[in-house]
Structures are given as structure tokens and as C-alpha cells.
Amino acid sequence: MRLPELVVFALCAVFSPGASALSYVPLQPPSYPLAVRNPYLSAWMPGSFVANLPVSTPQFWAGQDLTLGVMARVNGQAFSLLGLPSPPGGVREATIVNAEYTATHTVFSLLAGNVSIKLDFLSPVSPGNYIRQSLPFSYLTITAAPATGDDDIQVYVDLDETWTGQSGSTGTIFSTSDVTSVFRLVVDGAERYTQNAMDQALWGEVVFASRPSNSTRLTAQSGDPASVRGLFANNGTLSGSAIGKYEAGDVVAIAQDLGSTASAASVTYAIGYARDAAVNYLGDARASYYSATYNGSIAAAVHFLDDYADAEAEASTMDSDIDSKATSAAGANYSDIVILSVRQAYGAADLTIPADTLDTSDVTLFLKEISSDGNVNTVLEPVVQYLEMGRWPQPWTIHDIGSSYPNATGHDDGQAEQQPIEETGNILILAYAYTKASGSSTWANSYRALFQSYANYLVTNGLNIASQLSTDDGAGPLPNQTNLAIKAAVGLTAFGAMYDDADNYTAIGKQYANELYNNSLATDAGKTHFLL
């Protein structure tokens, strides 16, 4: 297992100072999360691009461009706000003045003439609300605040088939549900669970939706980007033409007319990527949790927009709590990294239920090893379920249950990346951590025989360790790695604690720790530091 990307952020946090006119709060990160909800909805804005935000294009986590064009029109003058490297004639660039991130929000503040405009990207993180957590959408809220007097303001957002992972086979469907307008972009003929070479899913659908408020008017259009963007720049509205057609290179666009206003006004868009089957688990389709309540992406998008106020309230509380706790734990610099990592960590996951029964009591979280080789679930419950079936033939714990997300099909042939001590220690430590966090031993007791077999493996193989891989697999296999020996000692102690020191495993773990440190098996002669 390679270092997860959130750790890479920590290790590579050489954050650049911005130009004096642009403030970065709390600092300028390597990349800003925009729409980050699952492995296939993962849009980012590189930190180095933000100074030129009006002409900068967001990227998928793997680096490919994702078209997202945002404009505002103020008193007849159009301004590019984000993602327009080639804006229509006469369009001016707004001035970016502030870039801020929290655990759940990324907010860019710009000036368009005398109007302050905020682009607020909210990707909810809601571990206690399974519907909200599983919805594959993010919010973009645009708020315009005139400085003085009444200003006539319109806003515009578009996207295209770059979000589908391919070019030339895109179909579009435009629908309305009550007051909500929804564009869906789909790849014609895509097979389930297929993705492109850059890890974008092909079998789902891009969802782009918005609704007018009581004081705004919504128009929509699809077509050639120069024509559609030019129409908005000139008129502040869209024609509603060609909304059921799509040709390669087209955009789908939704504009909102805020009218003449002397106070701040906001409109919200939903941007997402929905898959009818999220994960293939040992041959059975798993659907996103929300599917039990909302049938199809349109109903889900409508609910998502309905849920905005509650999602925002929860996000505000979470932002404050995480920042406060991280700062208390290790200071402001640590908190800056932690809050940047939250959406990234949750954005590697799909919360699922069986697609055939939609049984909400059968909930499984699947994780993708993003920014590595795309393995499925290198930790806990689905792994334990698979191991309990007896289909993995090796005496140690499996590294993952699928070589390529979202296919969690196991390794019945025993041919997976082999990290025997690493993963065997991991699973016992994680199982004990879950037992402590949940305050219940029921789950651990149901797998006691399995976990004991792995504790026995550590007893036999965890001190004088054969050449093998560790989590730093880029270093290749090495014998007698101290970090693996420590993990074995901790894993044995965790197993003993989990089962009230069953068969004296805690004592064995402590004995190994004593050998490693007090008896200098793993330290230099002066016992000042551990050796590799």
C-alpha cells in the first residue's frame, strides 16, 4: 500500500505564499477540493492556478481537465469567474481577492466591477447521515453582494463531457422536476464498471442541476461553448434551445437572473456523477445507500438541493469542531493539514447497500486506493467478510479485495500484493480500534477464530521477519524491518486486549517489544534510535 494522498499532502506541505493582493486562508495548499464526494466525483483546482482563477480549469484528481465555466454579468458587463481560458469577446476577468478552505468548503471571493461574488464549493461530509453521505453530488453556491445601490446581476455555470471520461459518445437528457432543472450526460453504450485509462468511470451519468429562488429566473441551453457563453455574455439569459441534443465539444449551461438587487443574493447548483451500480462485490452489484430512498439521479438531485440548508448547517458545525480539535491536538499548522484532508479522505469512499434488495441494514463502505494502483478496500469489514469465507488461501491477511476499483472480486488464487506482517498486524489493530470506539465486542466476537489465526501467524513470524514488503512498498522487499516487527507486537497486544488477554497474547506482544527495544534487537547499540 502506498502512502495515502492525505499523508502526501502533509509531507509535501511546502505551501506557497500568494501575491499580496490575494489572500489565502488559512494558507495556499497544493490543490483545492471543489466537488469531491467519491472516487469518480473528484474535481480539484490546483493551488498554483488560483491567482488566475477566471481562466483556470479544474482537474480530476488524476490530472485531466474538467470543463467548468462560471461567469457573472453585472449591469450589462460579463465577467469570467472560473474556468474560461478563452472567454467570449468583451468578457472581462473578475479579480480574485481571497481563497479559503475549511473541512467541507472551498470559497473563492472575487470582484466583478463593484459587486463582490463568492463561489462556495461545499462537499458534505456526514458520517452520521448515510443518505447525505452517499449522495454523489456537491454544491456550488454563487453569492453576489452589490457594494452600493441596485445592481442588475446574472450568473452562469456550464460543464461538458470531460466529466464523463470520454469524448464523442455522449448523450444528454434534460428534465424538469417541479422547479428543478436537470441535465444528465451519459456515455452511450458504456459497460458497467468500465473506466478510462485515467480512472474516470464511464458507466454512470453526469448530473448538473439547479432551481430558481422566489426572486430569480432560470434559463438553460446546450450547444457550442462559444455560442452559449456568448449569448449569456450579451443578454444575461439563455435561449432554451438544443437542450435535448449534444455534440462533441458542446456544453450544457444553466443561467440565473438575480435581477436588480441592493442586497446579497445567492443561487445554488448541484454537480455530480451517479452510477446505477457503484461497486461489484464478489459478483454482486452494490448500490449507493441513497438508492433505497430516492429512485434515480433526478429524485436524488432534487432531494440534494432540498437538503442544502441542513447540509450547510451540519458542515458549519463540523468545520468548527475539526479545526478546534486539530488545533488543540497539535497546533494551527497541524489543523491546516487536517482540514484540507477531510474531503480527500471521505472522497475515496462509496457507502453502499445491495442493489437487488436495497436492504439498508446491509451497509458496506468501499474504499479506493486513490493516487496509487486503484486497489479496493485495503482495510476492515469487506476484507474480513471475504477472509471469513475461506476463499483467500494464504495464512496471512490479504492486502486488498480487488486490483481495480470498483471491482471487489477478491483474490481466490492467492495472487495479491503480499504484505504478510503489515496487513496481518493492521487488521488486528483496526479491529481493536473499532471495538474500543463502538464500545461493543459483538462484531469482534463473530470473527474471533479468524482473528486468532492471524494472531498465531504473528506469534510465529512477527519477530525475526523474512524479506517482504511493508506499506512503503516502493522500497521493495526487505528482511527484518523494524516497523513490521513493531506492528506485530502491537497487533498481538491489540488481539489480547480485544479478547481479555486471550491465551496470553498481550504478554507475547510485550515480550516482542522488550526484545526489540530493551534487548536491542531493533535499535542501535546506544538505544538512541530504531534501525530499519
Side-chain angles (χ1 to χ4, degrees), residues 200-270:
Q200 285 182 271
L202 300 176
W203 79 97
E205 57 184 25
V206 178
V207 180
F208 177 44
S210 190
R211 62 173 58 141
S213 69
N214 292 333
S215 59
T216 67
R217 185 171 70 91
L218 182 151
T219 55
Q221 186 176 345
S222 62
D224 173 72
S227 299
V228 176
R229 293 169 177 173
L231 181 63
F232 172 80
N234 291 328
N235 300 333
T237 62
L238 299 173
S239 69
S241 65
I243 56 176
K245 298 179 181 179
Y246 193 91
E247 296 183 4
D250 282 356
V251 295
V252 293
I254 299 175
Q256 298 239 31
D257 188 348
L258 281 60
S260 182
T261 179
S263 58
S266 299
V267 291
T268 298
Y269 294 80

Side-chain angles (χ1 to χ4, degrees), residues 398-462:
I398 199 169
H399 169 267
D400 60 79
I401 55 171
S403 298
S404 180
Y405 201 90
N407 293 297
T409 50
H411 296 284
D412 294 6
D413 60 0
Q415 299 302 307
E417 184 170 8
Q418 297 190 358
Q419 299 181 6
I421 301 299
E422 178 74 48
E423 299 300 353
T424 304
N426 282 344
I427 207 163
L428 296 179
I429 295 166
L430 286 167
Y432 176 62
Y434 172 77
T435 301
K436 290 285 288 183
S438 66
S440 172
S441 61
T442 302
W443 178 82
N445 286 337
S446 68
Y447 293 113
R448 178 167 180 162
L450 178 71
F451 291 149
Q452 185 156 8
S453 72
Y454 294 133
N456 290 338
Y457 181 84
L458 293 181
V459 170
T460 304
N461 300 280

